[in-house]
Amino acid sequence: MDERVEVTLNINGEEYQLEIGKRWTLLYVLRDVLNMTGTKYGCGTGDCGVCKVLIDGEPVNSCTYLATRAQGKEIITIEGLSKDGRLTPVQQAFVETGAIQCGFCTPGMVITTTALLRRNPNPTREEIIAGLDNNLCRCTGYVKIIEAIELAARRMRGEA
Amino acid sequence: MSELKSLGKPTRRVDALEKVLGTGRYTHDLKIPGMLVAKVLRSPVPHAEIVKLDVTPALKVPGVVAAITSEDFVDHGNWGFPVKDDYMLAYKKVRYVGDPIAAVAAETEEAAEAGLQAIVLELKELPAVFDVHEALKPDAPILHEELAKAQAEETTSGELEDAEFIEVHGKGNLSETLIVRQGDPLSKLSECDVVLDAAYSVAHQEHAYLETEAALAVPTADGGVTVFVGDQNPFITLSNLVMTLGMPGKVRVVQSPHTGGAFGGKSDMVYETAAQAAMLAIKSGRPVKLVTSREESMIASYKRDAMEMRYRLGATKDGRLRAAKIECWADSGAYASMTPFTSWRATIHAMGPYHYEDCHVDMMCVYTNNGYSGAFRGFGNTEVTAASEQAIDELAEMCGMDPMDFRLKNCVELGDTLPFGQKLEYSVGLKQCLERVRKISDWDRKRAEYSRQPAHQEIRRGIGVASFFHGLSLGAEGLDFAEHTIRLGEGNKFEILTGLSDFGQGSRTVFSLIASEVLGFPVERFQWLPCDTDVVQECGPTVASRSTILGGNATRLAAMRLLTQLYDAAAMMMGCMVPEVRQEGEVFYGPAGQRVTLDELIAYARANHIPLSAKARWEMPRIHWSFAKGRGVPYVAYHFGAQVAEVEVDRRTGVTKVLNIYAVHDVGKVVFPQGIRGQIIGGISQGLGYALMERVEFEKGYIQNPNFDTYLIPTAADMPVVTVEFVESELPFGPFGAKNVAEPSMVPTAPAILNAIYHATGRRIRHLPANLERVLLGYDLKDTVTTTVCQVGVCERAKCEL
Ligand code: FES
Ligand code: FES
């Protein structure tokens, strides 16, 4: 049995005091302990990006990130992006452009995009593509996802 | 046709909101109190006899609540369609690495893991076979002895007796042979001016849906079980559960609200997962959830079959196709699964959408110990088109013709007859697709320009084309119907009840749009519900890109009936005759200026016990294919299309960059523009992966690349610029003229890319995928390890420079 430890995690602006296994990943804690299932499991090896969350503003694969390491950091999940069901410009753009098919990659894509546009509000297409290098999507062929990111960027810059 | 209101207009997907918010539930996300975690013990070897299997020690592990083997199921859980050769958990034998043997349910994952460790399993390894040609030799190890015996007795008297099959050396591992027959292509080939004889192969492809297989089984008060899954058909899951659990009337299958992709992959493996979870739930009396890990999914789930093909094509010197003699060997792996059906579709499409005087196709489905194969987008057509469209290019070159001209010269048109006797009576837009794609890709200029690249140039461009056809829906495979209900629900919305699943392809949106079109109400007036076998009617499987046609027509008819009910109610409410009722959107008018809104009308109907609920069934026209004669009408009609790929190849590194794909598809009618574009581009990305990088690497039955770090699928950086256009040759019985699109979108991509690589480099890569080594060296380093000589005898697989 995994050794248990007490941790305090700051998730979507709320503090959670938890007793967890020392080797539990942040993904496991989010999904299986806290029932925050918007963050998905796709590979467990850091290769698909469906488990991405923001840790201190940076997109991180939560499947390869130990939950204990996240103490004292600000964790934002897909559930924490929109306020009162109101979509962020990134989410809005994903819906409008049809960047969502099965939707399993969507939370991770939205998290990655959110961080990308914060860092670089005016990305070129190449920069967007580079930013998606750790997010797989098997349905869309990425084209509409890239279009969604471009649209969100334009809107956030007040151009559309 | 009068002006359409909803169809073909920009619309958003009806289920996108909860997906983008992260609140939409997938099977992975379901959790209920008291739920146990299940894990499966899987075969560590490719072929073995189960000498001893005892799960009782697992039950002694703290936290383990139930453990099962094949003994727990009716008839050992024997199932499978069309060949009943599989088991929910292995019985007597295991036939591939990953074959499920036993399963446990426990309080925690750790306990379940410990439970698996405690199971006593003794296997006696058997000789295994990994090559389709080896598997057909008389001394090959047999995978299914009993079936082989039964088959040997049957073939002496069966319907297939007089069909002339090509000779196979042993029948033991041959699960099925399928044919197309017209004339005598071998004699005709000897009369042809130009003859191509070449061997091609395609590799196993992994679906790589991002949500792995999962099931949640919940015991019910009556001693039955409800199972939540994401599958291709809840009714097939249901019938398999009823059969193997042995509890008719007590099983219910509910699809989770969302499913993280399927692409044909969520059939057999999900049925097994569901049965294992269900049996554990029954045994433990507790809810049980089974989720496969990515490695487990990649190892245990079925793949697109690998296939070896020999093409002999003949033409006149001025480029008129005359004869085709095609032989294919499909690697079915350990079980038949859908391979007999995918292979049937493959035989029908193997010669491509062209005229031939004479044509034979022979397809052998062969058992081996390489995992197992089943349905995957394109369903056999993707495999054969990867070969046939290269063969057509090679023949065009031998005739000294431009590949586009060659295809235009030979392609079928309305009124033509396909090489198995079917006259094409409607909706044939192939020529228009080819002409259009030629134009938008700037084919003639680029083809000429790239042909002039100096020999020493290392970074080279090329442009290639592939055209194809793809039969609608299930075809003569079986009865093909759907039944939908549209009924008044909460919030005065109309619920569309369907047994067809939406894994992201957009069928919910398509049905809402069609209902909206017929009834004249906005799309928001309609509500989708997940399939639930207690609620919806059987609609057949969500496969073969059949939802739009089948479900679309059922929706259209149900909506028309509902409209009749609404007009009846409106007339009654306004005190006039039905023909006097006029409708504008959600408002109904009477002859004397009466006006009622839809909401008022609904309130009136509710108060007066007038039901607002209509159901309708729609069936495809019935057709017949003779499996014995290899002739008939396999599909009522076809999707046609052509794609052009433009590539840049670095000859020093073997890196191929696909710059552009131009795709023109004859889809009958565009119903949901955003959705159809998504389907096409998504299909192209899977076709690009198939062409350049995707291959499940079996090494003596063991998969070498069972996760996304080694099994590579296209990323955003791999995608070309994609230009999509449509030809709308309306299908008379398609809903508003629409045809199929999901599967066909990927079929021509790989051969178009391979033809472009050849154009760029002069190197013909007949074995997929065209990875770095093959592009760079002309062969795959891995193949040189086992210098198998291609049994077809026309090339040496290690160095296919034919
Ligand atoms: S699940 Fe974390 S990267 Fe795939
Ligand atoms: S939408 Fe299905 S994986 Fe991206």
Side-chain angles (χ1 to χ4, degrees):
Chain A
M1 194 78 149
D2 203 2
E3 194 188 319
R4 301 286 136 136
V5 287
E6 295 236 338
V7 292
T8 308
L9 296 180
N10 179 328
I11 306 169
N12 300 331
E14 272 185 53
E15 301 261 306
Y16 294 84
Q17 298 218 323
L18 306 164
E19 197 193 282
I20 61 168
K22 225 176 163 175
R23 290 177 303 147
W24 289 4
T25 63
L26 181 56
L27 179 65
Y28 183 80
V29 171
L30 289 171
R31 289 183 55 83
D32 291 76
V33 179
L34 297 171
N35 208 17
M36 293 184 187
T37 54
T39 308
K40 305 298 183 199
Y41 162 84
C43 66
T45 50
D47 294 300
C48 77
V50 302
C51 64
K52 288 234 191 279
V53 298
L54 294 175
I55 295 185
D56 289 340
E58 284 303 310
V60 167
N61 288 326
S62 62
C63 70
T64 50
Y65 196 96
L66 286 182
T68 50
R69 231 180 105 196
Q71 285 201 88
K73 301 192 159 108
E74 186 190 57
I75 305 161
I76 303 286
T77 71
I78 185 75
E79 290 93 343
L81 285 182
S82 51
K83 300 277 172 281
D84 325 311
R86 284 231 326 274
L87 302 185
T88 66
V90 172
Q91 288 172 317
Q92 186 65 34
F94 267 68
V95 172
E96 281 178 33
T97 52
I100 303 166
Q101 291 187 15
C102 84
F104 206 75
C105 70
T106 307
M109 289 284 181
V110 168
I111 290 282
T112 299
T113 305
T114 303
L116 172 75
L117 295 185
R118 259 184 218 155
R119 214 169 37 228
N120 180 0
N122 194 1
T124 62
R125 196 162 252 251
E126 285 66 38
E127 286 167 336
I128 293 174
I129 288 170
L132 293 179
D133 70 345
N134 190 228
N135 286 79
L136 295 179
C137 173
R138 191 56 156 171
C139 301
T140 64
Y142 304 97
V143 170
K144 290 186 297 158
I145 291 174
I146 296 166
E147 288 168 5
I149 298 171
E150 287 172 337
L151 175 66
R154 278 201 306 279
R155 286 215 180 122
M156 288 163 78
R157 294 195 306 267
E159 290 167 20
Chain B
M1 189 174 286
S2 61
E3 179 79 20
L4 297 178
K5 297 178 285 280
S6 300
L7 300 184
K9 303 282 174 336
T11 323
R12 293 175 201 171
R13 189 171 291 265
V14 295
D15 58 3
L17 191 64
E18 54 191 84
K19 290 176 179 173
V20 86
L21 286 169
T23 53
R25 297 270 159 157
Y26 296 73
T27 310
H28 276 198
D29 306 334
L30 305 177
K31 192 173 182 183
I32 55 172
M35 191 171 87
L36 300 171
V37 186
K39 288 209 175 284
V40 179
L41 179 69
R42 296 182 181 278
S43 174
V45 296
H47 199 189
E49 192 187 313
I50 301 174
V51 178
K52 190 168 180 198
L53 175 61
D54 182 8
V55 293
T56 45
L59 293 168
K60 301 201 180 87
V61 173
V64 172
V65 183
I68 56 168
T69 67
S70 67
E71 297 299 319
D72 294 290
F73 292 93
V74 174
D75 198 14
H76 298 96
N78 186 204
W79 78 285
F81 181 78
V83 185
K84 205 173 170 186
D85 61 358
D86 206 349
Y87 293 86
M88 293 304 182
L89 288 169
Y91 173 56
K92 286 190 183 167
K93 268 179 76 165
V94 286
R95 296 180 176 86
Y96 75 99
V97 176
D99 218 351
I101 297 172
V104 301
E107 303 286 352
T108 63
E109 267 189 53
E110 289 148 331
E113 203 57 67
L116 291 189
Q117 302 287 337
I119 293 172
V120 176
L121 172 68
E122 224 179 275
L123 296 172
K124 181 171 153 244
E125 269 207 73
L126 298 168
V129 61
F130 309 110
D131 177 279
V132 286
H133 304 291
E134 292 295 322
L136 292 177
K137 290 187 173 161
D139 56 346
I142 302 292
L143 273 85
H144 296 271
E145 299 85 350
E146 279 149 40
L147 284 178
K149 229 188 284 158
Q151 208 185 26
E153 284 156 20
E154 200 177 277
T155 38
T156 50
S157 60
E159 188 202 11
L160 301 179
E161 198 182 4
D162 54 346
E164 34 159 336
F165 298 124
I166 67 160
E167 201 183 327
V168 287
H169 302 295
K171 291 223 158 83
N173 288 317
L174 187 69
S175 82
E176 194 82 65
T177 306
L178 297 144
I179 55 166
V180 164
R181 287 287 179 272
Q182 170 157 303
D184 177 7
L186 274 186
S187 346
K188 186 104 346 138
L189 280 167
S190 62
E191 297 167 13
C192 288
D193 306 331
V194 184
V195 176
L196 169 87
D197 186 351
Y200 304 85
S201 70
V202 290
H204 290 98
Q205 188 182 22
E206 160 67 30
H207 302 82
Y209 28 71
L210 288 188
E211 186 189 24
T212 59
E213 306 80 3
L216 166 65
V218 186
T220 52
D222 63 353
V225 65
T226 298
V227 183
F228 296 85
V229 286
D231 62 1
Q232 313 268 165
N233 182 348
F235 287 90
I236 297 183
T237 305
L238 179 75
S239 58
N240 281 318
L241 289 174
V242 167
M243 177 174 73
T244 57
L245 304 176
M247 28 174 62
K250 288 189 175 177
V251 186
R252 172 179 167 217
V253 177
V254 185
Q255 283 196 333
S256 308
H258 302 290
T259 295
F263 319 116
K266 294 213 166 140
S267 293
D268 305 44
M269 172 80 174
V270 175
Y271 308 150
E272 287 182 3
T273 305
Q276 292 150 4
M279 184 51 83
L280 286 166
I282 292 162
K283 280 239 153 178
S284 64
R286 304 254 304 263
V288 171
K289 184 164 147 190
L290 206 177
V291 177
T292 58
S293 72
R294 176 59 59 188
E295 282 85 0
E296 189 180 14
S297 167
M298 287 251 214
I299 289 169
S301 73
Y302 60 90
K303 314 287 174 235
R304 180 193 299 288
D305 56 341
M307 201 183 277
E308 302 207 1
M309 295 158 268
R310 179 183 188 181
Y311 272 74
R312 278 176 278 181
L313 302 182
T316 59
K317 56 180 176 308
D318 61 346
R320 192 169 49 76
L321 277 168
R322 296 191 66 197
K325 169 85 181 152
I326 302 164
E327 293 138 273
C328 311
W329 292 261
D331 185 352
S332 180
Y335 298 99
S337 179
M338 283 289 115
T339 302
F341 285 144
T342 61
S343 299
W344 177 63
R345 186 178 276 271
T347 48
I348 305 298
H349 294 87
M351 74 299 291
Y354 307 107
H355 286 283
Y356 295 89
E357 293 162 28
D358 294 356
C359 170
H360 281 193
V361 185
D362 289 86
M363 169 77 64
M364 272 66 58
C365 310
V366 187
Y367 287 125
T368 70
N369 297 101
N370 292 327
Y372 74 120
S373 306
F376 193 155
R377 195 178 204 161
F379 207 72
N381 194 11
T382 311
E383 292 88 313
V384 289
T385 302
S388 66
E389 280 301 293
Q390 288 205 75
I392 289 290
D393 245 51
E394 298 195 50
L395 199 61
E397 190 183 20
M398 291 164 84
C399 296
M401 273 177 79
D402 175 89
M404 196 70 89
D405 290 335
F406 188 86
R407 285 175 173 82
L408 280 163
K409 179 165 188 158
N410 289 287
C411 74
V412 291
E413 292 180 73
L414 198 66
D416 286 348
T417 303
L418 290 166
F420 31 79
Q422 176 180 14
K423 191 165 181 228
L424 290 167
E425 288 175 280
Y426 23 63
S427 192
V428 186
L430 179 55
K431 195 164 202 174
Q432 295 92 303
C433 289
L434 279 163
E435 279 163 354
R436 189 71 201 144
V437 83
R438 174 177 217 150
K439 184 146 194 279
I440 64 172
S441 64
D442 199 4
W443 171 270
D444 293 289
R445 186 186 63 77
K446 286 177 184 165
R447 184 87 190 172
E449 188 184 317
Y450 300 158
S451 300
R452 285 195 302 266
Q453 292 169 107
H456 62 267
Q457 191 173 311
E458 297 291 5
I459 298 181
R460 312 180 65 84
R461 290 199 172 184
I463 188 164
V465 62
S467 59
F468 77 111
F469 66 148
H470 191 84
L472 298 190
S473 199
L474 303 176
E477 239 176 60
L479 195 61
D480 205 358
F481 65 93
E483 182 166 343
H484 282 190
T485 298
I486 307 181
R487 71 178 185 197
L488 185 58
E490 260 177 58
N492 284 359
K493 288 198 177 198
F494 290 103
E495 297 168 342
I496 302 176
L497 303 185
T498 173
L500 295 164
S501 333
D502 194 336
F503 328 103
Q505 76 278 40
S507 54
R508 285 168 181 158
T509 309
V510 166
F511 300 154
S512 299
L513 283 167
I514 288 175
S516 159
E517 183 68 41
V518 174
L519 286 156
F521 309 148
V523 175
E524 296 71 40
R525 206 30 107 165
F526 303 93
Q527 177 71 48
W528 57 270
L529 292 178
C531 313
D532 177 334
T533 55
D534 273 5
V535 180
V536 302
Q537 299 291 332
E538 158 87 88
C539 285
T542 306
V543 300
S545 318
R546 61 193 285 278
S547 291
T548 296
I549 300 174
L550 276 294
N553 270 319
T555 305
R556 181 177 58 85
L557 294 176
M560 284 163 63
R561 290 184 184 159
L562 181 63
L563 194 62
T564 306
Q565 295 175 359
L566 286 163
Y567 270 64
D568 287 351
M572 212 182 288
M573 188 175 172
M574 296 189 290
C576 64
M577 291 191 299
V578 173
E580 294 172 327
V581 176
R582 239 176 1 96
Q583 178 201 0
E584 265 170 44
E586 298 197 321
V587 184
F588 295 82
Y589 297 93
Q594 307 99 309
R595 176 184 189 278
V596 292
T597 66
L598 178 59
D599 287 315
E600 290 163 355
L601 185 60
I602 289 171
Y604 173 83
R606 286 193 205 271
N608 291 282
H609 311 289
I610 300 169
L612 294 179
S613 174
K615 66 168 198 262
R617 179 186 161 103
W618 192 83
E619 209 182 291
M620 271 284 199
R622 293 201 190 185
I623 46 180
H624 180 71
W625 174 261
S626 165
F627 286 87
K629 298 204 173 85
R631 296 184 63 76
V633 178
Y635 302 94
V636 280
Y638 299 83
H639 171 119
F640 295 91
Q643 291 183 3
V644 163
E646 195 181 346
V647 302
E648 189 171 83
V649 184
D650 186 335
R651 226 169 31 184
R652 295 159 306 185
T653 58
V655 171
T656 301
K657 172 91 191 125
V658 183
L659 304 173
N660 275 295
I661 298 272
Y662 303 90
V664 181
H665 290 257
D666 168 14
V667 296
K669 176 87 203 159
V670 175
V671 173
F672 174 26
Q674 196 185 70
I676 202 166
R677 197 164 159 257
Q679 278 299 318
I680 301 246
I681 301 173
I684 286 169
S685 76
Q686 292 179 357
L688 184 144
Y690 195 48
L692 298 180
M693 61 188 89
E694 291 188 41
R695 168 172 62 175
V696 180
E697 286 168 24
F698 281 102
E699 185 65 46
K700 302 232 169 293
Y702 291 88
I703 293 178
Q704 304 298 302
N705 48 352
N707 207 327
F708 291 136
D709 54 348
T710 42
Y711 185 90
L712 301 184
I713 64 172
T715 67
D718 296 308
M719 284 304 287
V721 176
V722 183
T723 310
V724 186
E725 283 200 13
F726 299 104
V727 165
E728 297 187 319
S729 73
E730 287 183 9
L731 179 71
F733 49 84
F736 301 93
K739 296 200 279 197
N740 50 342
V741 71
E743 293 197 289
S745 58
M746 89 170 284
V747 172
T749 309
I753 291 172
L754 284 147
N755 288 338
I757 293 175
Y758 175 74
H759 186 226
T761 63
R763 175 162 277 153
R764 177 60 69 182
I765 300 169
R766 298 195 182 88
H767 306 293
L768 265 58
N771 54 18
L772 296 186
E773 292 148 25
R774 283 176 170 151
V775 174
L776 186 64
L777 309 168
Y779 60 91
D780 196 298
L781 290 170
K782 286 210 181 70
D783 280 356
T784 59
V785 184
T786 51
T787 45
T788 332
V789 174
C790 174
Q791 302 288 322
V792 167
V794 280
C795 75
E796 198 180 315
R797 195 176 332 146
K799 291 185 186 180
C800 188
E801 287 280 19
L802 202 143

